[in-house]
Amino acid sequence: MIEPVNQISLLKPDDWHLHLRDGKILKGVVSHTADVFSRAIIMPNLDPPVTTLNQAKEYKKRIVQSIPSGSSFSPLMTAYLTDNMSPDELERGFIEGIFQAAKLYPVNVTTNSSYGVTDLSKIDNIFETMERINMPLLIHGEVNDLNVDVFDREAVFIERHLKPLLRRFPSLKVVLEHITTIDAIDFVENNKCDIAATITPHHLHINRNAMFLGGLRSDFYCLPTAKREIHRIALRRAATSGKACFFLGTDSAPHTRKFKESSCGCAGIFNAPFALESYLTVFEEEQALDNFEAFASINGARFYGLPQNRESITLVKRDVSVPEMFDVGLEGDPNNFVKPFHSGETLKWSVLRD
Ligand code: NCD
Ligand code: ZN
């Protein structure tokens, strides 16, 4: 009989897709990530978005000032691509190490994407530069075509935009972010090693029914939306496979109650506080604990060409209760609280803290 595993140690993980926001809430959310992750790719979808080198430097400063003292967490900044982004500025930012990557939001596909790209072919000069300097292009892979069913928008994006893009720029280094479908898994697996994908904890735990369980539940609404159960099962297999093209990206996206509990609730799930415990639960259920370190701590760094972290982290098999809500420092008004993923649940793994 195989002995049950009660403890797991791994190199400190990185989060390759994170929304930290700005202003007062920043401090309230960044501590959760800085607590267990070494680095994170910071998404630039502020309003207005991070489009210039100066904005990225200033935003990075504000993030660093908000990190609890003693933490060695380091934010990796990204540029938000618009129709008017200057290729020279992007290249300079990448060479100087300010921009780690650039994020492509097709216009109006998600939260704060109204400044996004209206037509991919309009920014071929940007893609040309990125391909030449080997700068990662991070893609929100959904079409903004309202005639396409919301659950098909990722698959259609791959056919309509991503494949043609890679035919024009075959050596472009691409991360297809927060994938949700078998179509995306197949696409990434069948490509060469310059295409990778991040997978969130929530897409491993929930399918689209979660949004409609006994009523309309905006807490499970994010973009891309969770899909059918067959996709969730395939995502669990992909994430836990140990394959180098899949790595951890939480897409933790905090929105306060006020904006979630509304007739037009915002897309985004705040999973930062228990992200590792959440992922590890899935790896254990899939009997793939041995592949957790590759997914959480190795594959992403390798893809980005960054060194592996040296420190390590330990999780133990011990119940942990996830709070119903987090006060993220916005004047203590419950309307300003943020509900975490797994709110009110008990998870079976905990991070060991000294
Ligand atoms: C993200 C956000 O709120 O910034 N929302 C989400 O549902 N994932 C944006 C994004 O990554 O699409
Ligand atoms: Zn995101």
Side-chain angles (χ1 to χ4, degrees):
M1 217 181 85
I2 307 165
E3 286 287 306
V5 177
N6 290 320
Q7 179 162 328
I8 177 167
S9 293
L10 61 151
L11 293 175
K12 213 166 171 195
D14 303 302
D15 183 352
W16 301 101
H17 186 130
L18 177 67
H19 300 271
L20 285 180
R21 314 304 189 203
D22 204 354
K24 280 188 185 162
I25 191 174
L26 170 57
K27 202 176 173 141
V29 297
V30 71
S31 55
H32 295 288
T33 296
D35 182 31
V36 291
F37 289 98
S38 183
R39 298 167 286 199
I41 283 278
I42 310 302
M43 289 298 155
N45 62 331
L46 304 180
D47 191 10
V50 179
T51 54
T52 67
L53 256 173
N54 252 345
Q55 285 169 327
K57 283 184 192 160
E58 291 299 314
Y59 184 32
K60 183 172 182 171
K61 242 191 252 166
R62 296 194 295 278
I63 295 171
V64 170
Q65 281 161 4
S66 308
I67 296 169
S69 60
S71 164
S72 57
F73 174 72
S74 104
L76 308 174
M77 309 310 289
T78 56
Y80 181 115
L81 297 180
T82 65
D83 287 354
N84 308 312
M85 172 58 115
S86 139
D88 293 343
E89 174 134 3
L90 196 65
E91 180 165 359
R92 197 149 41 90
F94 185 62
I95 305 293
E96 287 177 19
I98 308 295
F99 291 141
Q100 195 68 52
K103 178 73 188 280
L104 169 68
Y105 292 99
V107 69
N108 294 336
V109 283
T110 188
T111 309
N112 295 345
S113 61
S114 61
Y115 305 84
V117 175
T118 56
D119 175 354
L120 264 59
S121 64
K122 276 194 185 162
I123 59 162
D124 274 359
N125 58 345
I126 293 283
F127 299 137
E128 217 172 272
T129 301
M130 294 182 71
E131 184 181 48
R132 177 170 50 76
I133 62 179
N134 219 17
M135 180 177 191
L137 173 68
L138 317 182
I139 301 184
H140 184 113
E142 287 192 287
V143 287
N144 52 18
D145 182 345
L146 299 181
N147 293 316
V148 176
D149 189 282
V150 70
F151 297 106
D152 294 335
R153 288 185 190 160
E154 183 174 277
V156 173
F157 180 88
I158 293 169
E159 290 305 318
R160 210 185 266 182
H161 299 293
L162 189 50
K163 287 184 178 172
L165 175 69
L166 290 168
R167 279 197 289 275
R168 299 204 296 285
F169 303 98
S171 303
L172 205 53
K173 209 175 162 67
V174 168
V175 184
L176 192 51
E177 297 291 340
H178 40 50
I179 58 168
T180 59
T181 57
I182 294 171
D183 314 66
I185 296 168
D186 285 349
F187 178 77
V188 172
E189 280 183 332
N190 293 324
N191 254 287
K192 48 188 177 33
C193 52
D194 277 354
I195 313 287
T198 51
I199 303 179
T200 75
H202 42 279
H203 290 116
L204 298 174
H205 280 277
I206 60 167
N207 64 31
R208 63 190 190 175
N209 292 330
M211 285 183 286
F212 308 105
L213 193 70
L216 193 55
R217 295 180 179 247
S218 60
D219 293 321
F220 298 112
Y221 173 54
C222 63
L223 286 167
T225 56
K227 306 293 191 298
R228 285 179 183 276
E229 180 66 359
I230 48 165
H231 295 286
R232 185 182 77 96
I233 290 169
L235 286 166
R236 286 167 74 101
R237 246 181 242 133
T240 59
S241 66
K243 288 185 183 167
C245 54
F246 299 116
F247 44 83
L248 186 159
T250 62
D251 193 20
S252 181
H255 292 280
T256 56
R257 298 316 296 149
K258 188 165 63 207
F259 292 101
K260 276 303 227 181
E261 291 178 11
S262 143
S263 61
C264 188
C266 290
I269 295 179
F270 179 52
N271 58 31
F274 292 89
L276 278 187
E277 296 85 342
S278 178
Y279 278 119
L280 193 54
T281 303
V282 173
F283 275 73
E284 185 181 38
E285 286 166 359
E286 297 294 321
Q287 299 177 350
L289 287 175
D290 287 349
N291 290 335
F292 188 55
E293 186 176 46
F295 178 76
S297 319
I298 295 174
N299 297 347
R302 184 180 296 148
F303 182 87
Y304 276 87
L306 294 169
Q308 275 178 19
N309 296 318
R310 297 232 188 90
E311 300 164 85
S312 56
I313 188 168
T314 299
L315 290 106
V316 291
K317 194 77 175 283
R318 191 171 57 208
D319 283 4
V320 64
S321 306
V322 178
E324 298 275 345
M325 293 285 173
F326 279 95
D327 178 344
V328 286
L330 298 175
E331 278 120 37
D333 173 352
N335 272 327
N336 287 329
F337 288 176
V338 180
K339 193 167 181 174
F341 186 48
H342 297 299
S343 168
E345 290 175 30
T346 300
L347 297 175
K348 296 203 173 314
W349 288 90
S350 325
V351 173
L352 192 64
R353 294 175 172 84
D354 13 75

